[in-house]
Coordinates of all heavy atoms in Angstrom, one line a residue:
Y1 N -10.6 6.6 101.1 CA -11.0 5.8 100.0 C -11.1 6.7 98.7 O -10.8 6.3 97.6 CB -12.3 5.1 100.2 CG -12.6 4.1 99.1 CD1 -11.9 3.0 98.8 CD2 -13.7 4.4 98.3 CE1 -12.2 2.1 97.8 CE2 -14.1 3.5 97.2 CZ -13.3 2.4 97.0 OH -13.7 1.6 96.0
G2 N -11.6 7.9 99.0 CA -11.7 8.9 97.9 C -10.4 9.3 97.3 O -10.2 9.3 96.1
Y3 N -9.3 9.4 98.2 CA -8.0 9.7 97.7 C -7.4 8.5 97.0 O -6.7 8.7 96.0 CB -7.1 10.1 98.9 CG -7.4 11.4 99.5 CD1 -7.6 11.6 100.9 CD2 -7.6 12.6 98.7 CE1 -7.9 12.8 101.4 CE2 -7.9 13.8 99.2 CZ -8.0 13.9 100.6 OH -8.3 15.2 101.2
F4 N -7.6 7.3 97.5 CA -7.1 6.1 96.8 C -7.8 6.0 95.4 O -7.1 5.7 94.4 CB -7.5 4.9 97.6 CG -7.2 3.6 96.9 CD1 -5.9 3.1 96.8 CD2 -8.3 2.9 96.3 CE1 -5.7 1.9 96.1 CE2 -8.1 1.7 95.6 CZ -6.8 1.2 95.5
T5 N -9.1 6.3 95.3 CA -9.8 6.3 94.1 C -9.2 7.3 93.1 O -9.0 7.0 91.9 CB -11.3 6.6 94.3 OG1 -11.9 5.7 95.2 CG2 -12.0 6.7 93.0
L6 N -8.7 8.4 93.6 CA -8.1 9.5 92.8 C -6.8 8.9 92.1 O -6.6 9.1 90.9 CB -7.8 10.7 93.7 CG -7.3 11.9 93.0 CD1 -8.4 12.5 92.2 CD2 -6.8 12.9 94.0
A7 N -6.0 8.3 92.9 CA -4.7 7.7 92.4 C -5.0 6.7 91.3 O -4.4 6.6 90.3 CB -3.9 7.2 93.5
V8 N -5.9 5.8 91.6 CA -6.2 4.7 90.7 C -6.8 5.2 89.4 O -6.6 4.7 88.3 CB -7.1 3.7 91.4 CG1 -7.6 2.6 90.4 CG2 -6.4 3.0 92.5
L9 N -7.6 6.3 89.5 CA -8.2 6.9 88.4 C -7.2 7.5 87.4 O -7.2 7.2 86.2 CB -9.2 8.1 88.8 CG -9.8 8.9 87.7 CD1 -10.7 8.1 86.8 CD2 -10.5 10.1 88.3
V10 N -6.2 8.2 88.0 CA -5.2 8.7 87.1 C -4.3 7.6 86.5 O -4.0 7.6 85.3 CB -4.3 9.7 87.9 CG1 -3.1 10.2 87.1 CG2 -5.1 10.8 88.5
A11 N -4.0 6.6 87.3 CA -3.2 5.5 86.8 C -4.0 4.7 85.7 O -3.4 4.1 84.8 CB -2.9 4.5 87.9
S12 N -5.3 4.7 85.8 CA -6.1 4.0 84.8 C -6.0 4.5 83.4 O -6.3 3.8 82.4 CB -7.6 4.0 85.2 OG -8.2 5.3 85.0
V13 N -5.5 5.8 83.3 CA -5.3 6.4 82.0 C -4.3 5.5 81.2 O -4.4 5.3 79.9 CB -4.7 7.8 82.1 CG1 -4.3 8.4 80.7 CG2 -5.7 8.7 82.8
V14 N -3.3 4.9 81.8 CA -2.3 4.1 81.2 C -3.0 2.8 80.5 O -2.7 2.5 79.4 CB -1.3 3.6 82.1 CG1 -0.2 2.7 81.5 CG2 -0.5 4.8 82.8
G15 N -4.0 2.3 81.2 CA -4.7 1.1 80.6 C -5.8 1.5 79.6 O -6.1 0.8 78.7
V16 N -6.3 2.7 79.8 CA -7.4 3.2 78.9 C -6.9 3.4 77.5 O -7.7 3.2 76.6 CB -8.0 4.5 79.5 CG1 -8.8 5.3 78.4 CG2 -8.9 4.3 80.7
V17 N -5.6 3.7 77.3 CA -5.2 3.9 76.0 C -5.3 2.8 75.0 O -5.4 2.9 73.8 CB -3.7 4.4 76.0 CG1 -3.5 5.7 76.7 CG2 -2.8 3.3 76.6
S18 N -5.4 1.6 75.6 CA -5.6 0.4 74.7 C -7.0 0.2 74.3 O -7.3 -0.5 73.3 CB -5.1 -0.9 75.4 OG -5.9 -1.2 76.6
G19 N -8.0 0.9 75.0 CA -9.4 0.7 74.7 C -9.7 1.0 73.2 O -10.4 0.2 72.6
P20 N -9.4 2.2 72.7 CA -9.7 2.5 71.3 C -9.1 1.6 70.3 O -9.7 1.2 69.3 CB -9.2 3.9 71.2 CG -9.1 4.5 72.5 CD -8.8 3.3 73.4
I21 N -7.9 1.1 70.6 CA -7.2 0.2 69.7 C -8.0 -1.1 69.7 O -8.3 -1.7 68.6 CB -5.8 0.0 70.1 CG1 -4.9 1.2 69.8 CG2 -5.2 -1.2 69.3 CD1 -4.6 1.5 68.4
V22 N -8.3 -1.6 70.9 CA -9.0 -2.9 71.0 C -10.3 -2.9 70.3 O -10.7 -3.8 69.6 CB -9.1 -3.3 72.5 CG1 -9.9 -4.5 72.7 CG2 -7.7 -3.5 73.1
S23 N -11.1 -1.8 70.6 CA -12.4 -1.7 69.9 C -12.4 -1.7 68.4 O -13.3 -2.3 67.8 CB -13.1 -0.3 70.4 OG -13.3 -0.3 71.8
A24 N -11.3 -1.2 67.9 CA -11.1 -1.2 66.4 C -10.6 -2.5 65.9 O -11.0 -3.0 64.8 CB -10.2 0.0 66.0
I25 N -9.6 -3.1 66.6 CA -8.9 -4.3 66.0 C -9.7 -5.6 66.3 O -9.5 -6.6 65.5 CB -7.5 -4.4 66.5 CG1 -7.4 -4.7 68.0 CG2 -6.7 -3.1 66.1 CD1 -6.0 -5.2 68.4
Q26 N -10.4 -5.7 67.4 CA -11.0 -7.0 67.7 C -12.0 -7.5 66.6 O -11.9 -8.6 66.1 CB -11.7 -6.9 69.1 CG -10.8 -7.3 70.2 CD -11.5 -7.6 71.5 OE1 -12.2 -6.8 72.1 NE2 -11.4 -8.9 71.9
P27 N -12.9 -6.6 66.2 CA -13.8 -7.1 65.1 C -13.0 -7.3 63.8 O -13.3 -8.2 63.0 CB -14.9 -6.0 65.0 CG -14.3 -4.8 65.6 CD -13.4 -5.3 66.7
R28 N -12.0 -6.5 63.5 CA -11.2 -6.6 62.3 C -10.4 -7.9 62.4 O -10.3 -8.6 61.3 CB -10.3 -5.4 62.1 CG -9.5 -5.4 60.8 CD -10.4 -5.4 59.6 NE -11.3 -4.4 59.5 CZ -11.0 -3.2 59.0 NH1 -9.8 -2.9 58.5 NH2 -12.0 -2.2 59.0
M29 N -9.8 -8.2 63.5 CA -9.0 -9.4 63.6 C -9.9 -10.7 63.5 O -9.6 -11.7 62.8 CB -8.3 -9.5 65.0 CG -7.1 -8.5 65.1 SD -6.3 -8.5 66.7 CE -5.6 -10.1 66.8
A30 N -11.1 -10.6 64.0 CA -12.1 -11.7 63.9 C -12.5 -11.9 62.4 O -12.6 -13.0 61.9 CB -13.3 -11.5 64.8
K31 N -12.6 -10.8 61.7 CA -13.0 -10.8 60.3 C -11.9 -11.4 59.5 O -12.1 -12.2 58.6 CB -13.4 -9.4 59.8 CG -13.9 -9.3 58.4 CD -14.5 -7.9 58.2 CE -15.0 -7.8 56.8 NZ -14.0 -7.8 55.8
L32 N -10.6 -11.0 59.8 CA -9.5 -11.5 59.0 C -9.3 -13.0 59.2 O -9.0 -13.7 58.3 CB -8.2 -10.8 59.5 CG -8.1 -9.3 59.1 CD1 -6.9 -8.6 59.7 CD2 -7.9 -9.2 57.5
E33 N -9.5 -13.4 60.5 CA -9.5 -14.9 60.8 C -10.5 -15.6 60.0 O -10.3 -16.7 59.5 CB -9.6 -15.1 62.3 CG -9.6 -16.6 62.7 CD -8.3 -17.3 62.5 OE1 -7.3 -16.6 62.3 OE2 -8.4 -18.6 62.4
A34 N -11.7 -15.1 60.0 CA -12.8 -15.7 59.2 C -12.6 -15.8 57.8 O -13.0 -16.8 57.1 CB -14.2 -14.9 59.5
E35 N -11.8 -14.8 57.2 CA -11.5 -14.8 55.8 C -10.2 -15.6 55.5 O -9.8 -15.8 54.3 CB -11.3 -13.4 55.3 CG -12.5 -12.5 55.4 CD -12.3 -11.0 55.1 OE1 -11.1 -10.6 55.2 OE2 -13.2 -10.3 54.9
G36 N -9.5 -16.1 56.5 CA -8.3 -16.9 56.3 C -7.1 -16.1 56.1 O -6.1 -16.6 55.6
D37 N -7.1 -14.8 56.3 CA -6.0 -13.9 56.1 C -5.1 -13.9 57.3 O -5.1 -12.9 58.1 CB -6.4 -12.5 55.7 CG -5.3 -11.6 55.3 OD1 -4.1 -12.1 55.3 OD2 -5.5 -10.4 55.0
H38 N -4.3 -14.9 57.6 CA -3.5 -15.1 58.8 C -2.3 -14.1 58.8 O -1.9 -13.6 59.9 CB -3.0 -16.5 58.9 CG -4.1 -17.5 58.9 ND1 -5.1 -17.5 59.9 CD2 -4.5 -18.5 58.1 CE1 -6.0 -18.5 59.7 NE2 -5.6 -19.1 58.5
V39 N -1.8 -13.8 57.6 CA -0.6 -12.9 57.5 C -1.1 -11.5 57.9 O -0.5 -10.8 58.7 CB -0.1 -12.8 56.1 CG1 1.0 -11.7 56.0 CG2 0.6 -14.2 55.8

């Protein structure tokens, strides 16, 4: 199970890259929607 965890940990890097983008854009997208700036 430790070896399996190792493989999944390395593969998770691919998904992790979206985290910083999401943290930045989610509040900004919510704010843009609240302001009516759909474009």
Side-chain angles (χ1 to χ4, degrees):
Y1 185 70
Y3 290 132
F4 171 79
T5 300
L6 189 67
V8 174
L9 173 66
V10 178
S12 70
V13 175
V14 179
V16 162
V17 297
S18 66
I21 291 286
V22 174
S23 296
I25 69 167
Q26 273 197 295
R28 182 60 57 87
M29 287 175 67
K31 186 170 181 288
L32 290 172
E33 175 66 18
E35 295 171 346
D37 186 0
H38 303 295
V39 174

